[in-house]
Amino acid sequence: EVVLTQSPGTLSLSPGEMATLSCRASQSLSSIYVAWYQHKPGQAPKFLIYGASTRATGIPDRFSANGSGTDFTLTISRLEPDDFAMYYCQHYGDSPLYAFGQGTRLEIK
Amino acid sequence: QVQLVQSGAEVKKPGASVKVSCKASSYTFANHYIHWVRQAPGQGLEWMGWISAYNGNTNYAQKLQGRVTMTRDTSTSTVYMELSSLRSEDTAVYYCARGSVTMGAYWGQGALVTVSS
């Protein structure tokens, strides 16, 4: 069974800085099935990235992602106040069919 | 624009069932899957299952097998998620989302289900 482990649990940064969020899988993943979401309290999750590195429609290029195998990364350059939120990686596979990481909280320092 | 509008908050007693609806609009309903994802207080996102709006086929998370049922009504472009034998751990915000291998960009606004005696 695939387990997605995100690190760090909490990342404290200031606006203008760069954030690097990690998603590590317990076994090698197919990159085309890796996605990232942003989630704020009281709102629905926001679709950011699919296919491990492709930005969803309307997502600014400050958001970038890459990875392969067991290691995937979401990078947010030049943090803006609106970027501070929870971030989740997600994979579609066999077991389980869909898995989310436990999330990384990006908070204002 | 694509919209998924969910039913409102519910309060249920342990052992009861809850049925949450998700009404789709502004796209061809039958062309997409609808996922259900929940978030318990202080917890992360949990995938519950999906239903094909085309033929009603379903696939449920193993953890919820036997307690969750997803159905759809093509005449009203509405998907339903029913969860039975509710426990306090089922207290969560329940989201529907239009997607396939990902949950995609279109989500409902969420529906809070509180299980309390």
Side-chain angles (χ1 to χ4, degrees):
Chain A
E1 175 172 307
V2 172
V3 176
L4 302 179
T5 301
Q6 292 187 240
S7 62
T10 301
L11 186 56
S12 299
L13 293 170
S14 300
E17 293 190 298
M18 181 171 72
T20 302
L21 288 67
S22 171
C23 176
R24 178 161 290 177
S26 58
Q27 57 190 265
S28 186
L29 304 181
S30 178
S31 298
I32 62 172
Y33 298 135
V34 173
W36 289 88
Y37 302 83
Q38 177 193 73
H39 194 201
K40 297 179 182 178
Q43 298 183 20
K46 183 177 184 178
F47 186 42
L48 296 177
I49 300 286
Y50 64 95
S53 61
T54 303
R55 282 186 298 277
T57 301
I59 302 304
D61 59 8
R62 298 184 297 102
F63 290 83
S64 63
N66 57 46
S68 64
T70 60
D71 292 305
F72 297 84
T73 301
L74 174 69
T75 301
I76 313 169
S77 63
R78 307 181 307 280
L79 283 167
E80 296 184 358
D82 191 52
D83 298 335
F84 292 90
M86 286 292 294
Y87 289 85
Y88 295 92
C89 57
Q90 176 250 312
H91 177 252
Y92 164 75
D94 292 324
S95 180
L97 195 59
Y98 293 88
F100 284 99
Q102 85 281 15
T104 288
R105 180 183 305 278
L106 178 58
E107 64 177 25
I108 298 178
K109 188 173 182 179
Chain B
Q1 68 284 18
V2 173
Q3 275 197 306
L4 299 174
V5 179
Q6 297 184 229
S7 48
E10 303 256 17
V11 179
K12 296 291 182 180
K13 293 193 182 304
S17 296
V18 68
K19 193 169 187 177
V20 181
S21 67
C22 172
K23 183 173 176 58
S25 61
S26 300
Y27 73 92
T28 303
F29 179 69
N31 285 0
H32 295 273
Y33 290 78
I34 294 290
H35 295 268
W36 288 89
V37 175
R38 69 179 180 179
Q39 184 181 39
Q43 303 298 309
L45 301 175
E46 178 186 13
W47 179 76
M48 300 178 67
W50 59 244
I51 180 168
S52 164
Y54 173 69
N55 58 16
N57 285 353
T58 56
N59 198 314
Y60 303 139
Q62 189 170 9
K63 171 183 176 181
L64 297 172
Q65 291 271 2
R67 288 209 299 138
V68 67
T69 304
M70 297 175 189
T71 56
R72 96 277 192 230
D73 181 343
T74 56
S75 68
T76 60
S77 300
T78 301
V79 171
Y80 300 91
M81 186 284 300
E82 184 170 22
L83 189 61
S84 63
S85 302
L86 288 169
R87 313 157 183 165
S88 58
E89 311 90 87
D90 295 318
T91 293
V93 177
Y94 289 76
Y95 296 99
C96 59
R98 192 193 84 169
S100 54
V101 297
T102 71
M103 308 305 122
Y106 301 104
W107 294 66
Q109 80 277 20
L112 175 62
V113 175
T114 302
V115 182
S116 174
S117 55

